Amino acid sequence: MVSSSHEALHRIFQEDTGAIVRALRQLLGVPFPETSSAFVVSPDLTEIAPVERRVDTLLQVETEADGTYLFAIESQSRRDPKKPAAWAYYLSYMHAKFGHQPVLIVLCPDEATARWAAHPIRLGIPDCPSLTVRPLVLGPGNTPVVTDAKDVVRDVPMAVFSAITHSKSENVDAILKALATTLNSLDPEQATIYAELVEAGLGNTPARKIWSDLMSALLNFFRSEHAQRAFAEVRAETQVEARAESVLRVLNARGLEVTAATRERVGSCKDLDLLDTWLDRAVTVSRAEELFADS
């Protein structure tokens, strides 16, 4: 459960780890290289000394040609004179500890804070700084207003971020209606996650009441027999895929040869009970084909 607007801003990019790269390219014009993967890592940057330092979200992004980047994503709802020094520390520590290129991205729900956060941080002699930190800032000024449901469908996480960032906009009613329409078409589990992020991200603004009214209608849909059946089907399919993967992982971990035919048979099986049987056997069989002894 997301508990605050601060958390909702950066959690969006945990739900879809590729969204932050799209934001850099589309909203800030940063020519970030093609990625091969992106995943959440521990945000704990605490040293052995008892001083706790944590970024809000830390993503590891693998590129196809330029190696690994670490994205420190910070939600900032107001000016904080202590933050510039902390941000400089985060980047230096991340580079020293992991050896990867660190990138600081600051998310701001209001334009005044965004302008403050975008100021370069210079440490050392004013005209010849030893270290200059230039935060990449996403706020109302460079985040588009999304009021067309077709645009929401193209990139739901970015539409959620837009809704939170423009919570005080005069267009917020149209923004939230377009988003709610699209959430109604997603599977209930995913839609609920995004709905909670929006509700928390809107904070105490009048837009939160608009969203609550829209969500009461959406909640009725989620509780419908059709939605519950669809949700159960999605969960069952996910369980089957995970169990099949476990069978193959056990065989590989034991060093047994797994032919293409065996991999295909396990991967195409939709019977969860049968997959459970194969998983139990995978621990003891001497050949992968013995999984199917009595099939």
Side-chain angles (χ1 to χ4, degrees):
M1 181 71 178
V2 182
S3 59
S4 68
S5 56
H6 172 98
E7 185 181 359
L9 268 177
H10 67 89
R11 273 282 302 277
I12 296 168
F13 301 103
Q14 293 182 21
E15 293 302 321
D16 183 341
T17 56
I20 195 64
V21 175
R22 299 196 297 275
L24 292 183
R25 292 172 180 159
Q26 298 169 15
L27 309 186
L28 297 180
V30 175
F32 195 78
E34 289 301 317
T35 64
S36 55
S37 67
F39 50 90
V40 179
V41 295
S42 171
D44 193 346
L45 302 182
T46 306
E47 297 182 82
I48 295 176
V51 178
E52 184 177 6
R53 300 182 187 273
R54 288 178 179 270
V55 295
D56 289 331
T57 287
L58 186 60
L59 298 183
Q60 184 165 322
V61 180
E62 307 288 346
T63 68
E64 295 179 358
D66 290 355
T68 300
Y69 287 80
L70 289 174
F71 284 4
I73 304 176
E74 286 275 279
S75 296
Q76 198 64 35
S77 58
R78 58 183 174 79
R79 298 186 181 195
D80 183 347
K82 296 181 180 179
K83 269 306 173 76
W87 290 339
Y89 169 86
Y90 294 162
L91 296 176
S92 298
Y93 180 77
M94 286 158 57
H95 187 263
K97 179 176 181 179
F98 301 106
H100 302 316
Q101 291 298 330
V103 180
L104 172 63
I105 303 169
V106 184
L107 315 174
C108 300
D110 70 90
E111 193 55 32
T113 303
R115 287 195 298 270
W116 165 80
H119 289 158
I121 303 162
R122 295 185 175 91
L123 304 181
I125 302 170
D127 293 332
C128 189
S130 298
L131 175 65
T132 301
V133 176
R134 297 181 183 276
L136 298 173
V137 180
L138 290 171
N142 53 20
T143 300
V145 174
V146 182
T147 57
D148 189 327
K150 293 180 181 177
D151 294 329
V152 178
V153 170
R154 275 194 283 270
D155 199 332
V156 176
M158 289 306 301
V160 171
F161 180 71
S162 173
I164 295 174
T165 305
H166 292 287
S167 60
K168 299 177 182 178
S169 164
E170 60 183 15
N171 298 313
V172 69
D173 187 71
I175 295 171
L176 296 178
K177 284 180 179 177
L179 184 56
T181 299
T182 301
L183 293 188
N184 202 33
S185 66
L186 300 179
D187 75 80
E189 184 175 27
Q190 190 66 65
T192 299
I193 291 173
Y194 286 132
E196 288 181 354
L197 284 171
V198 174
E199 182 176 3
L202 294 175
N204 295 322
T205 63
R208 186 166 187 168
K209 175 63 169 62
I210 298 173
W211 185 249
S212 295
D213 292 342
L214 290 169
M215 285 304 97
S216 19
L218 189 63
L219 185 59
N220 289 333
F221 168 77
F222 288 165
R223 288 173 176 167
S224 70
E225 183 179 347
H226 170 75
Q228 290 298 324
R229 185 166 57 251
F231 179 55
E233 290 173 357
V234 169
R235 288 193 63 183
E237 184 177 343
T238 301
Q239 285 182 311
V240 165
E241 291 175 354
R243 202 63 46 83
E245 182 181 349
S246 296
V247 172
L248 296 173
R249 287 181 64 183
V250 170
L251 294 174
N252 288 327
R254 295 186 58 218
L256 300 181
E257 181 183 358
V258 180
T259 64
T262 296
R263 190 174 298 277
E264 170 63 24
R265 185 167 180 179
V266 172
S268 61
C269 180
K270 304 302 180 185
D271 186 331
L272 189 60
D273 291 335
L274 182 55
L275 286 169
D276 279 335
T277 299
W278 290 350
L279 182 58
D280 291 338
R281 290 178 181 173
V283 179
T284 59
V285 295
S286 56
R287 294 186 307 112
E289 289 73 21
E290 293 175 12
L291 291 177
F292 319 122
D294 58 356
S295 299

